[in-house]
Amino acid sequence: MHIDFRAELNPEQYAAVSSVEGPLLIIAGAGSGKTRVITFRIAFMLEKGIPQSSILALTFTNKAAREMAGRVREVTNRKLQNLTCSTFHAFGVKILRKEIDRLGWRENFSIYDEVDRRELIKECARELGFKMETFDLNAAGIVFSNVKTLRADWAGENDLYRKVYEEYEASLKAYNALDFDDLILKPIEVFERFPEVRELYRERFRYIMIDEFQDTSLLQYRIMKLLADDNVCVVGDDDQSIYSWRGANYENIMQFEAHWPHLKQVMLERNYRSTSTILDAANSVIANNSNRKPKALWSPSGTGTPIEVLAPADETEEADFIARTIKAVRVRESVPFKEFGVLVRINSLTRWIEEAFLAQGVPYRVSGGNSFFQRKEIKDIVSYLRVAANPDDDMNLIRIVNVPRRGLGRRTLERLTEIARSGDLSLRRAMEAVRDDPFVEFPEKSRGDVAVFLELVDELREELLGRRNLAAKVRKMVDTIDYWSYLVTENPNNEKVATWKLRNIESLVRSIDLWEKDPDTIDPSLYDWLNRISLITRDDVDDEEDSGKVNLMTIHAAKGLEYNVVFIAGCEDGIIPHARSLEEGEGNIEEERRLFYVAITRAKKKLFITTCARRRRQNQVIECVPSPFLSEIPEHLLAWTGCDGDATEEQVFDVFSKMKKLFTASDAPVGQSAPGVQKNL
């Protein structure tokens, strides 16, 4: 199938697509057709005769990786089973399944999600004698990740957690488990300790592409550097780098330029998403950042309507306005609910908006809620499957050992844990010692209960490790352990709850069945399925029932999305920019501005911004002032509105007087309140 690339692409896009040999930096502004460029670039390489197995395309979410691979198949009309389009973490797993034995792990390692990770940290802290009432699990988790990913060392208060971290790392290895940070770190360790392995991967992947390059961490950059020769292409936008809190480093773009000084650069500035009014506003705001590549998005789509700014009295009036306006625009302009996006800087602002939506009958979904896989009944069943795949996975063994209840309570587990630690054994091995060695001191009844449990694990393991009919086997397992009776016992006065939970499990089984039957599933084994769900992130939730609902989310969650009509709520100093973020670092003002830029550029046709006069915060009402970023938008692009239509002169004067007090009288820099103006955070 021949593709006319020049006809399909604009000149800048074609330049990016056709530059295959040598290092390439593509600066892709918001809405500039980045995904299209990546898709056609891979298709161009394939048409030039480059083997699909030589191409490695890395991105950040499973959804983006699937979309990338699907679009390439659609454009080329080829199956492309040897093309690698993957997330960094999934690519890490792929390497480690083949190579991790070099580091002392077994290939059937478990991947701990955040819930499992917290439980293991808690267990390690408890073992070391920490009082859990005063031990800060969240702080420990942040320190562990920062130290592991080289963003921090053990200096200062971090040293309080050092012994727990050492115990945690030793426990991960003992349990043959990895956490998410390890999925990036361990491949690096393999490549650096075993150069011959690195060379094998360098020989295979001769053409590397990285999407959303501004979101890469220093360690992800290192993986690229270890693998890439000269044919490496990175695609990103420094103006949309908003994830420094999780390790993203927008300066990687500058590092890339330093490491490959002979690179070619292509700038994509033609925006296919938004009106020129919205883009002019975004350009005016982001131009105030100094650490960026100068660019100016432009649109062939026309001017559009002015950005409407509302100054409601408080958060209740703000929420009521948003709900009423959505209903009115939906009827007046035939915009479906799913084409509305309501963005907030912090989660706590959603409460009032949700109440207004409920009161006015506006269907909505909140992005970033608990994943389906975080529900207790799902985690229980998945833990059984993880133990079947890896019986030495202590965390999941502990989860299921008494679910349903089988007499193996806390005291029995404590005894087993002592035996495991004294003999440097996994919990399963300690159980086998209790069962098989009569000289091991253990209550006889509990010894019998342990033997029965081990027999169950062995039976399930034998049943589930076959490569066919996994869904049917999981359904049989649920019956074998009599999980329904357990649900009824746990919900004695509400059988509806038990039924609902059982239906969730049936949904899980159906999803396994669909996955097995998917022609793209090359290895329908239990191991492969567990790898897949370990890498599922919240951005991957694809609930068809939510397709007819308004999208309510944080600005961070909105990255990569677009809506016909967007509301940016709570556009006040202390919220945008966030006061705490500014306190944590002087340079954070530029990231906060990038966040506002991302919010603006989610809008395709209409943009509404609300900035309250007062807001309730921690049981007190606080006077608010508009975000300083609002003053960076040229006045001719804005239309100030009242809650019931055009704003009165008095309302506009009140808002502008507050802005003047903040920005003129005090000469305060952006993000810093004038004397006497109370922060609302």
Side-chain angles (χ1 to χ4, degrees):
M1 177 181 177
H2 177 71
I3 303 166
D4 187 346
F5 291 94
R6 288 187 183 276
E8 294 283 350
L9 305 162
N10 70 38
E12 297 80 22
Q13 290 175 334
Y14 180 77
V17 164
S18 58
S19 301
V20 171
E21 303 296 329
L24 175 66
L25 170 61
I26 303 173
I27 300 296
S32 62
K34 172 175 66 70
T35 305
R36 185 174 180 80
V37 166
I38 292 171
T39 300
F40 276 87
R41 192 170 189 273
I42 295 173
F44 188 90
M45 286 192 279
L46 294 171
E47 193 160 295
K48 289 293 180 184
I50 294 170
Q52 54 182 284
S53 59
S54 296
I55 301 170
L56 171 63
L58 295 174
T59 186
F60 278 85
T61 68
N62 295 311
K63 181 179 178 182
R66 286 195 303 270
E67 182 182 358
M68 187 188 299
R71 287 202 189 184
V72 176
R73 282 195 291 267
E74 189 179 307
V75 167
T76 61
N77 199 27
R78 294 165 64 178
K79 290 185 178 180
L80 303 177
Q81 290 183 319
N82 294 320
L83 176 68
T84 304
C85 292
S86 171
T87 65
F88 275 94
H89 289 91
F91 181 62
V93 171
K94 189 173 183 177
I95 294 168
L96 294 174
R97 287 294 173 200
K98 292 182 178 179
E99 315 293 349
I100 200 168
D101 60 312
R102 298 171 186 271
L103 304 180
W105 273 257
R106 296 181 299 285
E107 65 178 16
N108 64 334
F109 59 84
S110 298
I111 302 170
Y112 280 8
D113 64 14
E114 189 57 31
V115 175
D116 297 329
R117 180 173 175 266
R118 284 174 61 89
E119 285 301 310
L120 181 56
I121 295 172
K122 188 191 298 183
E123 179 193 321
C124 293
R126 192 179 283 122
E127 285 294 324
L128 291 171
F130 285 84
K131 293 181 179 178
M132 298 318 297
E133 310 86 65
T134 56
F135 186 82
D136 192 334
L137 264 178
N138 286 331
I142 292 168
V143 169
F144 286 14
S145 185
N146 286 345
V147 167
K148 187 177 276 197
T149 57
L150 309 180
R151 285 182 281 156
D153 55 28
W154 292 112
E157 293 183 359
N158 288 355
D159 198 52
L160 296 171
Y161 300 104
R162 190 168 190 163
K163 287 184 178 178
V164 183
Y165 176 78
E166 290 167 356
E167 182 74 12
Y168 168 78
E169 286 292 287
S171 297
L172 279 176
K173 191 160 189 179
Y175 299 163
N176 196 39
L178 301 175
D179 62 23
F180 263 53
D181 289 327
D182 288 325
L183 302 184
I184 304 297
L185 274 168
K186 297 303 180 188
I188 291 174
E189 188 177 344
V190 169
F191 291 153
E192 291 182 338
R193 286 178 55 186
F194 305 96
E196 69 279 11
V197 176
R198 173 194 170 199
E199 284 307 310
L200 286 174
Y201 285 91
R202 281 171 65 90
E203 278 298 314
R204 177 181 172 183
F205 296 114
R206 303 303 299 271
Y207 295 85
I208 296 176
M209 289 185 66
I210 299 180
D211 186 21
E212 301 288 4
F213 190 64
Q214 77 282 344
D215 293 336
T216 52
S217 66
L218 292 172
L219 291 176
Q220 287 162 337
Y221 186 93
R222 192 190 295 182
I223 282 186
M224 177 201 74
K225 192 76 168 49
L226 286 165
L227 285 179
D229 188 5
D230 217 37
N231 299 326
V232 56
C233 167
V234 301
V235 187
D237 180 7
D238 50 345
D239 288 338
Q240 296 187 72
S241 180
I242 59 174
Y243 295 116
S244 66
W245 48 275
R246 68 182 190 196
N249 182 14
Y250 74 93
E251 292 182 352
N252 280 348
I253 292 176
M254 288 180 270
Q255 281 203 62
F256 183 76
E257 291 175 307
H259 286 147
W260 281 276
H262 56 296
L263 65 77
K264 177 177 180 178
Q265 177 177 296
V266 177
M267 193 84 73
L268 304 180
E269 298 173 289
R270 188 183 313 197
N271 177 285
Y272 291 93
R273 175 189 300 159
S274 308
T275 65
S276 58
T277 295
I278 291 168
L279 293 182
D280 288 348
N283 288 334
S284 297
V285 169
I286 203 65
N288 290 277
N289 274 5
S290 55
N291 295 319
R292 64 183 293 264
K293 284 184 169 293
K295 70 183 78 65
L297 300 181
W298 62 277
S299 171
S301 304
T303 305
T305 59
I307 296 166
E308 296 192 38
V309 184
L310 174 81
D314 55 28
E315 64 281 338
T316 305
E317 191 174 281
E318 173 184 58
D320 181 66
F321 166 79
I322 292 171
R324 281 190 297 101
T325 304
I326 287 173
K327 290 170 71 177
V329 172
R330 177 175 176 265
V331 172
R332 186 173 66 242
E333 302 179 28
S334 300
V335 179
F337 280 127
K338 68 179 182 180
E339 281 298 331
F340 290 90
V342 182
L343 313 183
V344 294
R345 173 64 180 86
I346 49 177
N347 275 311
S348 60
L349 298 187
T350 65
R351 173 191 164 189
W352 309 102
I353 299 170
E354 287 190 69
E355 287 184 5
F357 284 171
L358 289 169
Q360 298 191 38
V362 175
Y364 71 95
R365 63 186 292 256
V366 180
S367 295
N370 274 348
S371 160
F372 175 77
F373 289 95
Q374 296 300 315
R375 295 174 182 174
K376 182 185 183 303
E377 63 275 14
I378 301 302
K379 283 192 73 70
D380 285 346
I381 299 306
V382 171
S383 288
Y384 268 97
L385 299 178
R386 291 195 187 283
V387 169
N390 175 14
D392 294 310
D393 181 344
D394 280 12
M395 290 304 301
N396 283 294
L397 192 75
I398 289 168
R399 184 177 188 94
I400 68 168
V401 73
N402 212 33
V403 175
R405 302 193 188 284
R406 50 176 66 93
L408 297 171
R410 183 176 62 83
R411 290 184 180 178
T412 302
L413 276 177
E414 285 175 351
R415 284 173 174 268
L416 287 166
T417 302
E418 287 172 13
I419 294 167
R421 289 196 176 277
S422 63
D424 195 21
L425 305 169
S426 69
L427 204 58
R428 191 264 300 228
R429 297 292 182 193
M431 287 181 167
E432 289 176 340
V434 165
R435 179 192 64 188
D436 300 337
D437 188 349
F439 295 103
V440 175
E441 290 187 20
F442 212 77
E444 283 307 307
K445 182 185 180 306
S446 297
R447 194 190 301 271
D449 292 336
V450 166
V452 170
F453 176 69
L454 284 174
E455 185 180 353
L456 172 66
V457 170
D458 289 342
E459 287 175 3
L460 293 177
R461 183 168 166 78
E462 184 177 351
E463 176 81 13
L464 289 161
L465 289 187
R467 291 182 180 271
R468 293 183 177 276
N469 303 319
L470 180 59
K473 291 172 181 176
V474 174
R475 191 176 281 114
K476 181 181 176 183
M477 181 194 78
V478 175
D479 291 337
T480 299
I481 64 176
D482 197 12
Y483 197 79
W484 166 248
S485 295
Y486 170 72
L487 289 175
V488 172
T489 303
E490 292 295 298
N491 301 278
N493 302 316
N494 198 337
E495 191 171 311
K496 285 183 178 179
V497 172
T499 302
W500 180 75
K501 288 177 178 288
L502 191 67
R503 284 176 182 164
N504 285 337
I505 294 171
E506 181 55 35
S507 294
L508 176 73
V509 174
R510 283 199 304 273
S511 73
I512 296 173
D513 187 45
L514 289 171
W515 171 76
E516 286 185 286
K517 293 174 181 175
D518 188 330
D520 288 335
T521 300
I522 298 168
D523 178 20
S525 67
L526 176 61
Y527 291 128
D528 204 52
W529 184 80
L530 288 172
N531 286 346
R532 176 176 170 270
I533 65 160
S534 293
L535 296 166
I536 288 176
T537 53
R538 288 185 296 186
D539 65 280
D540 292 326
V541 176
D542 184 16
D543 189 344
E544 291 182 5
E545 293 180 6
D546 287 344
S547 63
K549 299 180 181 180
V550 172
N551 302 278
L552 175 58
M553 65 187 72
T554 63
I555 301 171
H556 281 102
K559 174 83 176 352
L561 303 176
E562 57 184 47
Y563 303 101
N564 278 332
V565 184
V566 166
F567 294 80
I568 303 175
C571 191
E572 298 135 29
D573 187 39
I575 295 179
I576 305 177
H578 196 289
R580 192 180 307 123
S581 176
L582 299 187
E583 289 166 6
E584 290 171 356
E586 289 182 11
N588 287 354
I589 183 62
E590 296 219 343
E591 178 150 338
E592 289 292 309
R593 188 179 281 110
R594 291 195 293 269
L595 198 58
F596 189 52
Y597 171 84
V598 166
I600 293 172
T601 54
R602 297 314 92 195
K604 293 159 73 174
K605 296 180 179 177
K606 283 183 176 291
L607 177 61
F608 295 86
I609 298 175
T610 56
T611 173
C612 287
R614 295 174 297 281
R615 189 175 291 278
R616 272 171 280 191
R617 186 72 178 173
Q618 297 177 344
N619 298 321
Q620 57 178 323
V621 176
I622 294 174
E623 291 291 320
C624 303
V625 294
S627 167
F629 297 150
L630 266 179
S631 68
E632 297 174 352
I633 300 176
E635 287 183 31
H636 72 274
L637 301 177
L638 304 177
W640 291 82
T641 339
C643 284
D644 298 309
D646 292 337
T648 64
E649 286 187 21
E650 187 178 335
Q651 286 175 309
V652 175
F653 178 79
D654 181 54
V655 173
F656 273 109
S657 65
K658 285 184 176 181
M659 292 176 75
K660 186 176 180 182
K661 182 179 179 182
L662 179 64
F663 310 125
T664 307
S666 70
D667 291 324
V670 170
Q672 184 176 315
S673 292
V677 179
Q678 187 176 12
K679 287 286 202 184
N680 61 345
L681 279 180

